[in-house]
């Protein structure tokens, strides 16, 4: 029994080690792309208590606001830093991989480990982990929504999944697609299980869309 428990922690330890390594690398990367400049400028403005409007490129930096707001929280504590913003993005990437691991672990632990490590090895995924863009955070919110959705045991989980889907829209505009996707998933579960807890999501979706 003890051996089985220890074996379960081996892939998790590997994922965490690789994740921490990527976070460290991201924090020391000084590349700055156009989108990064926009999010960094917005986060810096938020951390100084001002509402961002436009950058010198003419792009609106106030939307979507959630990721710059998250950056600004850490900027308030540690001061504005491009490396810090990149480390936050990399952390979202590591958390995404962990969610994939947890979702697949219920089927097979080694399948979960292989899929997670493979995701961390995909160049496109790791590339965006080193950039303070919103692609990795939107992947995290998508994975978190589906993780909560497939583990919905009561109305609180259903509503929480709806809330996460709504927050994804404030990470990236295309994140709004998660709301109808989750709605269709819960409607399927409702017709299959005849449990009214899944209908709660319809009201949540209305509130989030109005917001």
């Amino acid at each position: 029994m003890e051996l089985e428990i220890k074996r379960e922690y081996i892939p998790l330890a590997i994922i965490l080690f690789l994740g921490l390594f990527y976070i460290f690398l991201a924090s020391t990367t000084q590349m700055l792309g156009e989108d990064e400049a926009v999010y960094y400028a917005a986060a810096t403005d938020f951390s100084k208590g001002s509402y961002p409007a436009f950058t010198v490129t003419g792009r609106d930096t106030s939307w979507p606001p959630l990721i710059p707001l998250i950056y600004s929280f850490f900027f308030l504590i540690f001061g504005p830093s491009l490396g810090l913003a990149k480390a936050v993005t990399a952390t979202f990437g590591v958390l995404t991989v962990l969610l994939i691991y947890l979702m697949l672990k219920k089927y097979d632990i080694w399948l979960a480990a292989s899929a997670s490590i493979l995701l961390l090895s995909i160049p496109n995924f790791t590339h965006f982990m080193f950039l303070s863009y919103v692609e990795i955070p939107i992947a995290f919110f998508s994975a978190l929504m589906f993780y909560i959705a497939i583990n919905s045991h009561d109305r609180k989980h259903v509503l929480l999944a709806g809330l996460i889907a709504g927050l994804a829209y404030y990470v990236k505009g295309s994140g709004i697609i998660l709301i109808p996707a989750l709605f269709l998933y819960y409607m399927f579960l409702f017709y299959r299980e005849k449990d009214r807890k899944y209908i709660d999501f319809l009201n949540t979706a209305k509130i989030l869309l109005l917001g």
Side-chain angles (χ1 to χ4, degrees):
M1 186 62 166
E2 290 183 6
L3 180 60
E4 291 182 0
I5 294 175
K6 290 180 180 179
R7 287 179 61 188
E8 286 187 7
Y9 284 107
I10 292 174
L12 187 59
I14 294 173
I15 294 169
L16 289 175
F17 174 78
L18 290 174
L20 290 173
F21 178 66
Y22 282 136
I23 291 172
F24 170 75
L25 287 181
S27 68
T28 59
T29 303
Q30 295 302 314
M31 295 183 299
L32 180 63
E34 182 181 343
D35 286 350
E36 287 185 293
V38 171
Y39 301 132
Y40 181 77
T44 302
D45 286 342
F46 278 133
S47 68
K48 294 178 179 177
S50 61
Y51 189 79
F54 296 93
T55 65
V56 291
T57 62
R59 290 185 54 180
D60 182 7
T61 64
S62 63
W63 187 266
L66 187 56
I67 296 306
L69 281 171
I70 293 174
Y71 289 160
S72 69
F73 171 77
F74 292 98
F75 286 3
L76 281 171
I77 300 174
F78 302 104
S81 166
L82 179 60
L84 179 58
K86 290 176 180 291
V88 172
T89 302
T91 301
F92 275 119
V94 175
L95 292 175
T96 302
V97 173
L98 286 174
L99 285 170
I100 299 298
Y101 173 79
L102 292 174
M103 280 190 278
L104 295 177
K105 181 175 175 288
K106 64 191 322 182
Y107 303 106
D108 184 84
I109 187 171
W110 296 112
L111 170 65
S114 300
S116 301
I117 295 173
L118 177 63
L119 181 57
L120 272 176
S121 304
I122 296 176
N124 211 31
F125 185 81
T126 54
H127 170 72
F128 279 103
M129 281 180 65
F130 295 152
L131 302 172
S132 51
Y133 288 1
V134 295
E135 278 70 19
I136 293 298
I138 195 68
F140 165 75
F141 278 90
S142 301
L144 180 60
M145 183 203 74
F146 283 112
Y147 176 74
I148 295 172
I150 64 178
N151 291 285
S152 297
H153 303 301
D154 53 38
R155 285 181 170 83
K156 290 181 179 179
H157 287 94
V158 174
L159 294 174
L160 180 59
L163 177 61
I164 296 300
L167 286 175
Y169 173 62
Y170 295 96
V171 173
K172 190 174 183 178
S174 58
I176 197 171
I177 193 65
L178 293 180
I179 294 178
L182 188 61
F183 173 73
L184 291 173
Y185 173 72
Y186 278 143
M187 288 300 293
F188 167 75
L189 291 181
F190 170 71
Y191 284 113
R192 188 183 71 176
E193 301 179 16
K194 304 301 181 184
D195 191 334
R196 290 192 61 82
K197 71 183 179 184
Y198 298 117
I199 298 299
D200 285 348
F201 178 70
L202 177 60
N203 295 324
T204 305
K206 288 179 180 178
I207 294 172
L208 294 172
L209 284 173
L210 286 173

